[in-house]
mmCIF file of all heavy atoms in Angstrom:
data_model
loop_
_atom_site.group_PDB
_atom_site.id
_atom_site.type_symbol
_atom_site.label_atom_id
_atom_site.label_comp_id
_atom_site.label_asym_id
_atom_site.label_seq_id
_atom_site.Cartn_x
_atom_site.Cartn_y
_atom_site.Cartn_z
ATOM 1 N N LEU U 48 80.983 141.205 108.255
ATOM 2 C CA LEU U 48 80.941 141.021 109.700
ATOM 3 C C LEU U 48 82.263 140.457 110.221
ATOM 4 O O LEU U 48 82.760 140.875 111.267
ATOM 5 C CB LEU U 48 79.790 140.089 110.093
ATOM 6 C CG LEU U 48 78.386 140.650 109.948
ATOM 7 C CD1 LEU U 48 77.354 139.570 110.230
ATOM 8 C CD2 LEU U 48 78.182 141.841 110.867
ATOM 9 N N GLY U 49 82.831 139.512 109.483
ATOM 10 C CA GLY U 49 84.088 138.911 109.905
ATOM 11 C C GLY U 49 85.213 139.921 109.993
ATOM 12 O O GLY U 49 85.917 140.009 111.005
ATOM 13 N N PHE U 50 85.389 140.708 108.940
ATOM 14 C CA PHE U 50 86.448 141.723 108.968
ATOM 15 C C PHE U 50 86.142 142.803 110.000
ATOM 16 O O PHE U 50 87.043 143.293 110.681
ATOM 17 C CB PHE U 50 86.651 142.340 107.583
ATOM 18 C CG PHE U 50 87.600 141.570 106.725
ATOM 19 C CD1 PHE U 50 87.128 140.689 105.777
ATOM 20 C CD2 PHE U 50 88.968 141.718 106.865
ATOM 21 C CE1 PHE U 50 87.992 139.967 104.968
ATOM 22 C CE2 PHE U 50 89.850 141.004 106.074
ATOM 23 C CZ PHE U 50 89.359 140.128 105.124
ATOM 24 N N GLY U 51 84.879 143.186 110.122
ATOM 25 C CA GLY U 51 84.510 144.190 111.126
ATOM 26 C C GLY U 51 84.841 143.720 112.532
ATOM 27 O O GLY U 51 85.373 144.478 113.348
ATOM 28 N N LEU U 52 84.551 142.447 112.812
ATOM 29 C CA LEU U 52 84.872 141.903 114.133
ATOM 30 C C LEU U 52 86.379 141.777 114.336
ATOM 31 O O LEU U 52 86.875 142.008 115.441
ATOM 32 C CB LEU U 52 84.182 140.555 114.325
ATOM 33 C CG LEU U 52 82.661 140.606 114.493
ATOM 34 C CD1 LEU U 52 82.074 139.205 114.487
ATOM 35 C CD2 LEU U 52 82.279 141.349 115.763
ATOM 36 N N LEU U 53 87.105 141.414 113.277
ATOM 37 C CA LEU U 53 88.567 141.361 113.400
ATOM 38 C C LEU U 53 89.145 142.742 113.692
ATOM 39 O O LEU U 53 90.026 142.894 114.544
ATOM 40 C CB LEU U 53 89.193 140.785 112.137
ATOM 41 C CG LEU U 53 89.070 139.279 111.956
ATOM 42 C CD1 LEU U 53 89.635 138.864 110.605
ATOM 43 C CD2 LEU U 53 89.757 138.546 113.076
ATOM 44 N N PHE U 54 88.646 143.760 112.999
ATOM 45 C CA PHE U 54 89.093 145.123 113.268
ATOM 46 C C PHE U 54 88.780 145.506 114.717
ATOM 47 O O PHE U 54 89.613 146.098 115.403
ATOM 48 C CB PHE U 54 88.433 146.126 112.320
ATOM 49 C CG PHE U 54 88.956 146.097 110.913
ATOM 50 C CD1 PHE U 54 88.094 146.030 109.837
ATOM 51 C CD2 PHE U 54 90.315 146.151 110.650
ATOM 52 C CE1 PHE U 54 88.563 146.017 108.541
ATOM 53 C CE2 PHE U 54 90.803 146.141 109.359
ATOM 54 C CZ PHE U 54 89.923 146.070 108.299
ATOM 55 N N ALA U 55 87.565 145.172 115.170
ATOM 56 C CA ALA U 55 87.172 145.512 116.545
ATOM 57 C C ALA U 55 88.037 144.780 117.562
ATOM 58 O O ALA U 55 88.461 145.370 118.562
ATOM 59 C CB ALA U 55 85.696 145.179 116.764
ATOM 60 N N LEU U 56 88.312 143.495 117.327
ATOM 61 C CA LEU U 56 89.154 142.741 118.256
ATOM 62 C C LEU U 56 90.555 143.326 118.342
ATOM 63 O O LEU U 56 91.123 143.441 119.433
ATOM 64 C CB LEU U 56 89.227 141.270 117.833
ATOM 65 C CG LEU U 56 87.994 140.422 118.100
ATOM 66 C CD1 LEU U 56 88.139 139.045 117.468
ATOM 67 C CD2 LEU U 56 87.736 140.303 119.593
ATOM 68 N N LEU U 57 91.104 143.688 117.204
ATOM 69 C CA LEU U 57 92.444 144.291 117.214
ATOM 70 C C LEU U 57 92.443 145.632 117.949
ATOM 71 O O LEU U 57 93.365 145.943 118.698
ATOM 72 C CB LEU U 57 92.970 144.452 115.791
ATOM 73 C CG LEU U 57 93.337 143.144 115.087
ATOM 74 C CD1 LEU U 57 93.625 143.389 113.614
ATOM 75 C CD2 LEU U 57 94.514 142.485 115.764
ATOM 76 N N GLU U 58 91.403 146.422 117.718
ATOM 77 C CA GLU U 58 91.291 147.705 118.424
ATOM 78 C C GLU U 58 91.169 147.479 119.928
ATOM 79 O O GLU U 58 91.793 148.190 120.717
ATOM 80 C CB GLU U 58 90.071 148.493 117.916
ATOM 81 C CG GLU U 58 90.255 149.140 116.573
ATOM 82 C CD GLU U 58 91.034 150.445 116.642
ATOM 83 O OE1 GLU U 58 91.080 151.081 117.707
ATOM 84 O OE2 GLU U 58 91.624 150.818 115.618
ATOM 85 N N LEU U 59 90.363 146.501 120.336
ATOM 86 C CA LEU U 59 90.186 146.237 121.759
ATOM 87 C C LEU U 59 91.446 145.659 122.401
ATOM 88 O O LEU U 59 91.645 145.801 123.602
ATOM 89 C CB LEU U 59 89.010 145.291 121.977
ATOM 90 C CG LEU U 59 87.642 145.882 121.653
ATOM 91 C CD1 LEU U 59 86.557 144.824 121.762
ATOM 92 C CD2 LEU U 59 87.334 147.057 122.572
ATOM 93 N N GLU U 60 92.301 145.023 121.602
ATOM 94 C CA GLU U 60 93.582 144.514 122.093
ATOM 95 C C GLU U 60 94.594 145.640 122.281
ATOM 96 O O GLU U 60 95.677 145.416 122.792
ATOM 97 C CB GLU U 60 94.175 143.498 121.109
ATOM 98 C CG GLU U 60 93.785 142.078 121.342
ATOM 99 C CD GLU U 60 94.290 141.519 122.667
ATOM 100 O OE1 GLU U 60 95.513 141.429 122.887
ATOM 101 O OE2 GLU U 60 93.427 141.189 123.485
ATOM 102 N N GLY U 61 94.250 146.833 121.835
ATOM 103 C CA GLY U 61 95.148 147.970 121.978
ATOM 104 C C GLY U 61 95.994 148.240 120.746
ATOM 105 O O GLY U 61 96.848 149.109 120.761
ATOM 106 N N ILE U 62 95.757 147.479 119.676
ATOM 107 C CA ILE U 62 96.471 147.696 118.418
ATOM 108 C C ILE U 62 95.661 148.700 117.608
ATOM 109 O O ILE U 62 94.595 148.370 117.099
ATOM 110 C CB ILE U 62 96.642 146.376 117.639
ATOM 111 C CG1 ILE U 62 97.385 145.354 118.488
ATOM 112 C CG2 ILE U 62 97.363 146.617 116.321
ATOM 113 C CD1 ILE U 62 97.371 143.958 117.914
ATOM 114 N N GLN U 63 96.161 149.903 117.510
ATOM 115 C CA GLN U 63 95.415 150.936 116.796
ATOM 116 C C GLN U 63 95.546 150.698 115.296
ATOM 117 O O GLN U 63 96.641 150.718 114.749
ATOM 118 C CB GLN U 63 95.914 152.321 117.154
ATOM 119 C CG GLN U 63 95.083 153.412 116.542
ATOM 120 C CD GLN U 63 95.607 154.783 116.911
ATOM 121 O OE1 GLN U 63 96.617 154.913 117.572
ATOM 122 N NE2 GLN U 63 94.904 155.805 116.468
ATOM 123 N N ILE U 64 94.421 150.450 114.635
ATOM 124 C CA ILE U 64 94.442 150.207 113.197
ATOM 125 C C ILE U 64 93.537 151.147 112.419
ATOM 126 O O ILE U 64 93.629 151.209 111.202
ATOM 127 C CB ILE U 64 94.066 148.745 112.874
ATOM 128 C CG1 ILE U 64 92.707 148.406 113.447
ATOM 129 C CG2 ILE U 64 95.111 147.786 113.379
ATOM 130 C CD1 ILE U 64 92.178 147.088 112.988
ATOM 131 N N LEU U 65 92.662 151.872 113.120
ATOM 132 C CA LEU U 65 91.765 152.803 112.436
ATOM 133 C C LEU U 65 91.800 154.165 113.123
ATOM 134 O O LEU U 65 91.904 154.250 114.347
ATOM 135 C CB LEU U 65 90.319 152.284 112.464
ATOM 136 C CG LEU U 65 90.035 150.971 111.755
ATOM 137 C CD1 LEU U 65 88.588 150.557 111.978
ATOM 138 C CD2 LEU U 65 90.332 151.073 110.279
ATOM 139 N N VAL U 66 91.712 155.195 112.308
ATOM 140 C CA VAL U 66 91.537 156.550 112.835
ATOM 141 C C VAL U 66 90.307 157.155 112.166
ATOM 142 O O VAL U 66 90.034 156.906 110.998
ATOM 143 C CB VAL U 66 92.784 157.443 112.608
ATOM 144 C CG1 VAL U 66 93.948 156.961 113.425
ATOM 145 C CG2 VAL U 66 93.156 157.522 111.152
ATOM 146 N N GLU U 67 89.586 157.932 112.955
ATOM 147 C CA GLU U 67 88.375 158.578 112.441
ATOM 148 C C GLU U 67 88.612 160.079 112.407
ATOM 149 O O GLU U 67 88.869 160.696 113.443
ATOM 150 C CB GLU U 67 87.188 158.228 113.334
ATOM 151 C CG GLU U 67 85.868 158.707 112.807
ATOM 152 C CD GLU U 67 84.698 158.177 113.627
ATOM 153 O OE1 GLU U 67 84.915 157.679 114.744
ATOM 154 O OE2 GLU U 67 83.585 158.283 113.133
ATOM 155 N N ASN U 68 88.565 160.638 111.205
ATOM 156 C CA ASN U 68 88.850 162.058 111.001
ATOM 157 C C ASN U 68 90.208 162.447 111.591
ATOM 158 O O ASN U 68 90.367 163.502 112.197
ATOM 159 C CB ASN U 68 87.737 162.928 111.583
ATOM 160 C CG ASN U 68 86.419 162.686 110.882
ATOM 161 O OD1 ASN U 68 86.364 162.518 109.665
ATOM 162 N ND2 ASN U 68 85.330 162.637 111.650
ATOM 163 N N GLY U 69 91.194 161.566 111.424
ATOM 164 C CA GLY U 69 92.551 161.842 111.867
ATOM 165 C C GLY U 69 92.842 161.569 113.325
ATOM 166 O O GLY U 69 93.958 161.767 113.777
ATOM 167 N N GLU U 70 91.857 161.129 114.100
ATOM 168 C CA GLU U 70 92.056 160.851 115.521
ATOM 169 C C GLU U 70 91.660 159.416 115.833
ATOM 170 O O GLU U 70 90.806 158.846 115.158
ATOM 171 C CB GLU U 70 91.226 161.820 116.364
ATOM 172 C CG GLU U 70 91.631 163.271 116.169
ATOM 173 C CD GLU U 70 90.907 164.194 117.119
ATOM 174 O OE1 GLU U 70 90.336 163.705 118.106
ATOM 175 O OE2 GLU U 70 90.928 165.404 116.860
ATOM 176 N N PRO U 71 92.276 158.829 116.877
ATOM 177 C CA PRO U 71 91.917 157.445 117.236
ATOM 178 C C PRO U 71 90.427 157.323 117.543
ATOM 179 O O PRO U 71 89.789 158.286 117.994
ATOM 180 C CB PRO U 71 92.750 157.168 118.492
ATOM 181 C CG PRO U 71 93.864 158.155 118.440
ATOM 182 C CD PRO U 71 93.322 159.359 117.726
ATOM 183 N N ILE U 72 89.885 156.153 117.301
ATOM 184 C CA ILE U 72 88.469 155.915 117.580
ATOM 185 C C ILE U 72 88.238 156.051 119.081
ATOM 186 O O ILE U 72 88.953 155.458 119.885
ATOM 187 C CB ILE U 72 88.043 154.515 117.114
ATOM 188 C CG1 ILE U 72 88.240 154.372 115.610
ATOM 189 C CG2 ILE U 72 86.589 154.235 117.483
ATOM 190 C CD1 ILE U 72 88.018 152.970 115.099
ATOM 191 N N SER U 73 87.254 156.842 119.439
ATOM 192 C CA SER U 73 86.951 157.038 120.861
ATOM 193 C C SER U 73 85.552 156.509 121.148
ATOM 194 O O SER U 73 84.778 156.219 120.247
ATOM 195 C CB SER U 73 87.042 158.525 121.221
ATOM 196 O OG SER U 73 86.120 159.257 120.442
ATOM 197 N N GLY U 74 85.246 156.374 122.401
ATOM 198 C CA GLY U 74 83.931 155.918 122.800
ATOM 199 C C GLY U 74 83.977 154.545 123.424
ATOM 200 O O GLY U 74 85.032 153.973 123.667
ATOM 201 N N ASP U 75 82.795 154.020 123.679
ATOM 202 C CA ASP U 75 82.700 152.721 124.329
ATOM 203 C C ASP U 75 82.776 151.579 123.315
ATOM 204 O O ASP U 75 83.077 151.794 122.138
ATOM 205 C CB ASP U 75 81.409 152.642 125.151
ATOM 206 C CG ASP U 75 80.152 152.792 124.301
ATOM 207 O OD1 ASP U 75 80.269 152.951 123.072
ATOM 208 O OD2 ASP U 75 79.044 152.737 124.873
ATOM 209 N N PHE U 76 82.516 150.381 123.777
ATOM 210 C CA PHE U 76 82.600 149.179 122.955
ATOM 211 C C PHE U 76 81.706 149.280 121.715
ATOM 212 O O PHE U 76 82.122 148.928 120.609
ATOM 213 C CB PHE U 76 82.215 147.959 123.808
ATOM 214 C CG PHE U 76 82.113 146.692 123.036
ATOM 215 C CD1 PHE U 76 83.265 146.030 122.608
ATOM 216 C CD2 PHE U 76 80.884 146.151 122.716
ATOM 217 C CE1 PHE U 76 83.186 144.849 121.894
ATOM 218 C CE2 PHE U 76 80.790 144.969 122.007
ATOM 219 C CZ PHE U 76 81.941 144.320 121.592
ATOM 220 N N PHE U 77 80.489 149.759 121.887
ATOM 221 C CA PHE U 77 79.554 149.829 120.760
ATOM 222 C C PHE U 77 79.994 150.852 119.719
ATOM 223 O O PHE U 77 79.780 150.652 118.523
ATOM 224 C CB PHE U 77 78.132 150.113 121.262
ATOM 225 C CG PHE U 77 77.549 148.953 122.029
ATOM 226 C CD1 PHE U 77 77.373 149.039 123.393
ATOM 227 C CD2 PHE U 77 77.226 147.777 121.376
ATOM 228 C CE1 PHE U 77 76.861 147.965 124.100
ATOM 229 C CE2 PHE U 77 76.710 146.694 122.068
ATOM 230 C CZ PHE U 77 76.525 146.788 123.442
ATOM 231 N N ASP U 78 80.614 151.931 120.149
ATOM 232 C CA ASP U 78 81.171 152.890 119.195
ATOM 233 C C ASP U 78 82.253 152.238 118.344
ATOM 234 O O ASP U 78 82.319 152.453 117.131
ATOM 235 C CB ASP U 78 81.752 154.116 119.913
ATOM 236 C CG ASP U 78 80.683 155.008 120.507
ATOM 237 O OD1 ASP U 78 79.552 154.994 119.987
ATOM 238 O OD2 ASP U 78 80.989 155.697 121.497
ATOM 239 N N HIS U 79 83.094 151.429 118.977
ATOM 240 C CA HIS U 79 84.134 150.707 118.240
ATOM 241 C C HIS U 79 83.516 149.717 117.255
ATOM 242 O O HIS U 79 83.940 149.630 116.101
ATOM 243 C CB HIS U 79 85.075 149.962 119.195
ATOM 244 C CG HIS U 79 86.143 150.820 119.774
ATOM 245 N ND1 HIS U 79 85.922 151.647 120.852
ATOM 246 C CD2 HIS U 79 87.436 150.974 119.429
ATOM 247 C CE1 HIS U 79 87.040 152.275 121.145
ATOM 248 N NE2 HIS U 79 87.978 151.899 120.294
ATOM 249 N N ILE U 80 82.517 148.973 117.708
ATOM 250 C CA ILE U 80 81.860 147.980 116.835
ATOM 251 C C ILE U 80 81.208 148.669 115.643
ATOM 252 O O ILE U 80 81.384 148.237 114.496
ATOM 253 C CB ILE U 80 80.813 147.151 117.617
ATOM 254 C CG1 ILE U 80 81.512 146.198 118.598
ATOM 255 C CG2 ILE U 80 79.895 146.373 116.686
ATOM 256 C CD1 ILE U 80 82.249 145.063 117.943
ATOM 257 N N PHE U 81 80.448 149.724 115.885
ATOM 258 C CA PHE U 81 79.774 150.414 114.787
ATOM 259 C C PHE U 81 80.776 151.007 113.804
ATOM 260 O O PHE U 81 80.597 150.931 112.593
ATOM 261 C CB PHE U 81 78.820 151.496 115.312
ATOM 262 C CG PHE U 81 77.604 150.940 115.996
ATOM 263 C CD1 PHE U 81 77.198 151.447 117.209
ATOM 264 C CD2 PHE U 81 76.866 149.912 115.433
ATOM 265 C CE1 PHE U 81 76.080 150.935 117.854
ATOM 266 C CE2 PHE U 81 75.748 149.395 116.060
ATOM 267 C CZ PHE U 81 75.355 149.908 117.282
ATOM 268 N N THR U 82 81.841 151.596 114.320
ATOM 269 C CA THR U 82 82.848 152.192 113.443
ATOM 270 C C THR U 82 83.574 151.131 112.630
ATOM 271 O O THR U 82 83.794 151.299 111.424
ATOM 272 C CB THR U 82 83.855 153.023 114.256
ATOM 273 O OG1 THR U 82 83.141 154.030 114.982
ATOM 274 C CG2 THR U 82 84.878 153.694 113.349
ATOM 275 N N THR U 83 83.941 150.017 113.262
ATOM 276 C CA THR U 83 84.648 148.969 112.522
ATOM 277 C C THR U 83 83.740 148.287 111.502
ATOM 278 O O THR U 83 84.190 147.938 110.410
ATOM 279 C CB THR U 83 85.282 147.926 113.462
ATOM 280 O OG1 THR U 83 84.275 147.340 114.288
ATOM 281 C CG2 THR U 83 86.363 148.556 114.317
ATOM 282 N N MET U 84 82.467 148.097 111.834
ATOM 283 C CA MET U 84 81.528 147.513 110.856
ATOM 284 C C MET U 84 81.319 148.470 109.679
ATOM 285 O O MET U 84 81.262 148.053 108.527
ATOM 286 C CB MET U 84 80.177 147.200 111.509
ATOM 287 C CG MET U 84 80.207 146.053 112.449
ATOM 288 S SD MET U 84 80.675 144.525 111.619
ATOM 289 C CE MET U 84 80.996 143.509 113.026
ATOM 290 N N TYR U 85 81.198 149.744 109.983
ATOM 291 C CA TYR U 85 81.055 150.762 108.941
ATOM 292 C C TYR U 85 82.277 150.752 108.027
ATOM 293 O O TYR U 85 82.155 150.720 106.801
ATOM 294 C CB TYR U 85 80.864 152.130 109.598
ATOM 295 C CG TYR U 85 81.036 153.303 108.673
ATOM 296 C CD1 TYR U 85 80.032 153.643 107.769
ATOM 297 C CD2 TYR U 85 82.191 154.072 108.701
ATOM 298 C CE1 TYR U 85 80.183 154.731 106.914
ATOM 299 C CE2 TYR U 85 82.350 155.150 107.865
ATOM 300 C CZ TYR U 85 81.343 155.481 106.970
ATOM 301 O OH TYR U 85 81.505 156.545 106.139
ATOM 302 N N PHE U 86 83.477 150.760 108.630
ATOM 303 C CA PHE U 86 84.694 150.737 107.831
ATOM 304 C C PHE U 86 84.775 149.465 106.996
ATOM 305 O O PHE U 86 85.163 149.504 105.828
ATOM 306 C CB PHE U 86 85.931 150.870 108.727
ATOM 307 C CG PHE U 86 87.204 150.775 107.956
ATOM 308 C CD1 PHE U 86 87.628 151.834 107.168
ATOM 309 C CD2 PHE U 86 87.970 149.626 107.982
ATOM 310 C CE1 PHE U 86 88.796 151.746 106.417
ATOM 311 C CE2 PHE U 86 89.133 149.522 107.253
ATOM 312 C CZ PHE U 86 89.547 150.590 106.466
ATOM 313 N N SER U 87 84.410 148.334 107.588
ATOM 314 C CA SER U 87 84.446 147.071 106.862
ATOM 315 C C SER U 87 83.507 147.117 105.655
ATOM 316 O O SER U 87 83.869 146.677 104.560
ATOM 317 C CB SER U 87 84.060 145.927 107.794
ATOM 318 O OG SER U 87 84.079 144.702 107.113
ATOM 319 N N GLY U 88 82.314 147.643 105.852
ATOM 320 C CA GLY U 88 81.353 147.733 104.754
ATOM 321 C C GLY U 88 81.814 148.633 103.630
ATOM 322 O O GLY U 88 81.751 148.266 102.460
ATOM 323 N N ILE U 89 82.317 149.812 103.967
ATOM 324 C CA ILE U 89 82.741 150.722 102.898
ATOM 325 C C ILE U 89 84.007 150.225 102.211
ATOM 326 O O ILE U 89 84.234 150.519 101.048
ATOM 327 C CB ILE U 89 82.916 152.180 103.383
ATOM 328 C CG1 ILE U 89 83.998 152.307 104.440
ATOM 329 C CG2 ILE U 89 81.597 152.739 103.885
ATOM 330 C CD1 ILE U 89 84.334 153.734 104.823
ATOM 331 N N THR U 90 84.812 149.440 102.925
ATOM 332 C CA THR U 90 86.004 148.863 102.295
ATOM 333 C C THR U 90 85.618 147.716 101.374
ATOM 334 O O THR U 90 86.094 147.626 100.241
ATOM 335 C CB THR U 90 86.996 148.366 103.367
ATOM 336 O OG1 THR U 90 87.371 149.478 104.182
ATOM 337 C CG2 THR U 90 88.228 147.766 102.734
ATOM 338 N N LEU U 91 84.740 146.833 101.839
ATOM 339 C CA LEU U 91 84.325 145.679 101.048
ATOM 340 C C LEU U 91 83.621 146.102 99.765
ATOM 341 O O LEU U 91 83.837 145.515 98.704
ATOM 342 C CB LEU U 91 83.418 144.764 101.875
ATOM 343 C CG LEU U 91 82.977 143.466 101.231
ATOM 344 C CD1 LEU U 91 84.179 142.565 100.955
ATOM 345 C CD2 LEU U 91 81.995 142.743 102.127
ATOM 346 N N PHE U 92 82.810 147.127 99.852
ATOM 347 C CA PHE U 92 82.064 147.578 98.679
ATOM 348 C C PHE U 92 82.783 148.689 97.916
ATOM 349 O O PHE U 92 82.212 149.291 97.016
ATOM 350 C CB PHE U 92 80.662 148.029 99.085
ATOM 351 C CG PHE U 92 79.842 146.902 99.618
ATOM 352 C CD1 PHE U 92 79.447 146.876 100.936
ATOM 353 C CD2 PHE U 92 79.498 145.837 98.809
ATOM 354 C CE1 PHE U 92 78.706 145.822 101.432
ATOM 355 C CE2 PHE U 92 78.761 144.782 99.290
ATOM 356 C CZ PHE U 92 78.359 144.775 100.613
ATOM 357 N N SER U 93 84.016 148.963 98.265
ATOM 358 C CA SER U 93 84.897 149.886 97.544
ATOM 359 C C SER U 93 84.369 151.304 97.472
ATOM 360 O O SER U 93 84.588 152.003 96.491
ATOM 361 C CB SER U 93 85.173 149.365 96.137
ATOM 362 O OG SER U 93 85.724 148.089 96.184
ATOM 363 N N VAL U 94 83.676 151.729 98.497
ATOM 364 C CA VAL U 94 83.180 153.100 98.531
ATOM 365 C C VAL U 94 84.279 154.011 99.080
ATOM 366 O O VAL U 94 84.670 154.971 98.440
ATOM 367 C CB VAL U 94 81.894 153.218 99.377
ATOM 368 C CG1 VAL U 94 81.436 154.647 99.484
ATOM 369 C CG2 VAL U 94 80.796 152.343 98.795
ATOM 370 N N GLY U 95 84.784 153.716 100.262
ATOM 371 C CA GLY U 95 85.894 154.444 100.848
ATOM 372 C C GLY U 95 85.668 155.927 100.975
ATOM 373 O O GLY U 95 86.276 156.716 100.275
#
Side-chain angles (χ1 to χ4, degrees):
L48 289 174
F50 274 99
L52 289 172
L53 285 175
F54 286 130
L56 286 172
L57 290 171
E58 284 280 337
L59 292 174
E60 270 296 297
I62 302 169
Q63 186 180 3
I64 57 171
L65 297 175
V66 293
E67 187 172 15
N68 297 321
E70 298 186 16
I72 299 172
S73 60
D75 61 0
F76 173 75
F77 291 109
D78 289 334
H79 278 81
I80 289 290
F81 290 133
T82 302
T83 58
M84 289 299 167
Y85 166 76
F86 177 75
S87 180
I89 62 173
T90 300
L91 184 63
F92 295 114
S93 303
V94 176

